[in-house]
Amino acid sequence: MSFIKQVIKKWACKECDITDINHFYGQQEFDELKKTILAWTERRTLDDQIILLDYVVDMLKEDICSGNAAKVLMKPFSSPFFNFIPTSYEDENGKQCSILCDEKQSVDLAKAHLYICPWKKERIPNNLFRLKQDSFRFDSDNHKSHYYTDIDLCHVYNGNHSIHIGAYLKKGEIESDVCRTEMLYSHCNTDGEYWYNSHTGKIISKVNDFRIAALYYAAQIRYKIKNDSPVGKM
């Protein structure tokens, strides 16, 4: 356990387990991000606000994608999850809508931002040795992912180990299902812990990783500024 988490456990969360501590620390970071964005964007031109928010979004993507794949090396097991951000929502009239469309996006594993969680470390060596020798071949039955527009990030939820090694070796491409993130901005907001319906305040689901919520929050504000359009309550 890191020093900061030991301090939190001792002084702020004496009865918590490690999961609670991670939640507590993540909430603190999410709230700090909101303060930073507000401080940086106040009294600046729209162009300058977009430049700053581009930076924030890019840094959050780098942090999310670079830090996630290594988790399994330090744990007996790392649990992947299907939902990165909600792929469906209720609009202001209560109609169920989906941001998942029929389009496919070609994703270059050498260049793309990938949120990927290889969940079983024992599978990594064989995939590494195999793909060192062979080319990466996309398997539509096994390699499953969502590509989120506007955020420009691909979340891999199946075929994690081979795609992870393909990305590590910077070889191969996958075909990803496209999710139109911008469709969600007016109907969904987050506080870093939960996803909410912006019209009713009803909880949609729990946030799996507070960094994802932070990325969505920054991208949501950037989209509003660029398009001068309403977004969900923030």
Side-chain angles (χ1 to χ4, degrees):
M1 187 186 302
S2 69
F3 174 75
I4 185 66
K5 289 181 180 177
Q6 291 181 46
V7 172
I8 291 171
K9 184 173 178 63
K10 182 176 181 180
W11 297 109
C13 199
K14 294 181 179 180
E15 304 302 320
C16 296
D17 63 17
I18 188 64
T19 303
D20 297 324
I21 296 166
N22 283 330
H23 154 68
F24 179 88
Y25 188 46
Q27 193 66 52
Q28 293 288 314
E29 291 192 344
F30 183 84
D31 290 343
E32 186 63 29
L33 173 75
K34 291 173 68 175
K35 293 176 185 176
T36 300
I37 289 175
L38 180 61
W40 280 13
T41 54
E42 275 188 321
R43 296 184 295 277
R44 294 190 185 271
T45 65
L46 292 182
D47 287 345
D48 284 351
Q49 289 179 41
I50 291 170
I51 289 170
L52 287 165
L53 286 165
D54 282 343
Y55 169 82
V56 171
V57 168
D58 287 344
M59 289 301 100
L60 288 170
K61 279 194 296 187
E62 291 292 339
D63 179 62
I64 288 171
C65 295
S66 64
N68 200 54
K71 286 181 180 178
V72 71
L73 301 178
M74 297 171 279
K75 296 181 179 181
F77 180 85
S78 185
S79 299
F81 52 82
F82 179 77
N83 287 323
F84 183 78
I85 62 175
T87 55
S88 62
Y89 63 90
E90 285 187 3
D91 67 13
E92 60 272 26
N93 299 314
K95 180 183 177 183
Q96 273 286 345
C97 305
S98 176
I99 68 170
L100 185 62
C101 62
D102 294 332
E103 292 179 57
K104 297 285 186 180
Q105 173 73 29
S106 180
V107 176
D108 186 340
L109 298 183
K111 300 176 181 178
H113 285 98
L114 296 174
Y115 186 93
I116 187 168
C117 181
W119 51 273
K120 192 173 184 181
K121 68 179 73 177
E122 290 79 10
R123 294 190 177 187
I124 292 176
N126 286 343
N127 276 284
L128 178 58
F129 293 134
R130 176 175 61 83
L131 289 174
K132 268 282 191 182
Q133 303 298 323
D134 299 332
S135 60
F136 178 93
R137 290 186 291 274
F138 173 66
D139 180 354
S140 60
D141 292 327
N142 180 45
H143 296 147
K144 305 290 186 182
S145 62
H146 288 148
Y147 172 78
Y148 290 90
T149 60
D150 190 57
I151 291 174
D152 185 30
L153 183 147
C154 180
H155 170 225
V156 176
Y157 61 88
N158 205 68
N160 298 46
H161 301 88
S162 54
I163 294 177
H164 164 60
I165 296 301
Y168 169 71
L169 296 173
K170 300 188 183 304
K171 55 167 46 174
E173 294 184 354
I174 60 174
E175 292 294 312
S176 186
D177 296 319
V178 172
C179 291
R180 293 288 175 193
T181 314
E182 57 271 22
M183 292 174 60
L184 198 62
Y185 290 147
S186 296
H187 309 284
C188 175
N189 64 287
T190 181
D191 62 0
E193 185 176 5
Y194 292 97
W195 302 104
Y196 297 93
N197 181 305
S198 299
H199 310 293
T200 65
K202 180 181 177 182
I203 291 175
I204 298 172
S205 61
K206 190 172 180 61
V207 169
N208 287 305
D209 182 336
F210 80 91
R211 299 172 305 165
I212 296 171
L215 174 60
Y216 177 87
Y217 176 82
Q220 186 184 41
I221 295 174
R222 181 182 65 179
Y223 184 83
K224 179 184 185 301
I225 293 171
K226 282 183 175 180
N227 296 276
D228 195 25
S229 61
V231 298
K233 298 173 185 175
M234 294 179 291

